[in-house]
Structure formats: C-alpha cells, structure tokens
Amino acid sequence: SSALVIDVRSLPEFSEGHIDGAHHFPIEGLPDSISHISKTVRIVTVCNNGGGRSEKAAETLRNSGWKNAVWLEGGYFSWRDLDLPRIEIGEGSS
C-alpha cells in the first residue's frame, strides 16, 4: 500500500534535497498543517537521520488521530546513501 511521505525538516534542508514525492510540512506546524489529510492515510515522516524530529512528528500525528503514522529509520541521509529516488539542488543540470 502506498504512503504519504512528509518531510518535517526546515525549508533550507528540504530544498537541498528530499525524497522524490515527499511533501514538506515542517515539524513546528504539525499537526495543524496537515488537518486536510485523511486520518486513515499511512504517513511516513522523514528528517535527516531518522529519529529525533521524524520520530517526534510521527508520535504527534498518532496522538492527533493519524494512527498509521510512522517515521523513516535512517532518514533522508540513508535514503540518499542508498541512491533511492530523490530531488536535489542542481539535479538534471550539467
């Protein structure tokens, strides 16, 4: 089943690079910033290294009714190191 990837880092961090298809909702705005998203959706929160902000964000969302919220272990940096699909500054330019 598909999941909604929510990047909870700051805008500068998100702008430098993020998982392809990730939505940017900084942790400071949660849960209000995603009030329009169905509480049945599976959500995966992402920060740089996993744990820390993403774990706190997933807990905040679970406590606010998004029972299927989990965090990405290893975070964006592990995703990048595994060379999985992502968007980076300068990607596609020569």
Side-chain angles (χ1 to χ4, degrees), residues 41-94:
V41 171
R42 183 170 186 77
I43 292 175
V44 179
T45 59
V46 179
C47 63
N48 281 332
N49 294 300
R53 288 175 287 177
S54 61
E55 189 172 7
K56 185 172 179 241
E59 184 181 0
T60 296
L61 295 180
R62 284 195 303 273
N63 290 339
S64 302
W66 284 271
K67 298 302 181 194
N68 295 321
V70 296
W71 56 282
L72 180 66
E73 191 169 343
Y76 171 68
F77 290 158
S78 292
W79 185 278
R80 180 190 63 194
D81 293 345
L82 291 168
D83 209 26
L84 294 165
R86 63 190 185 279
I87 308 295
E88 288 187 345
I89 284 181
E91 189 172 293
S93 59
S94 51

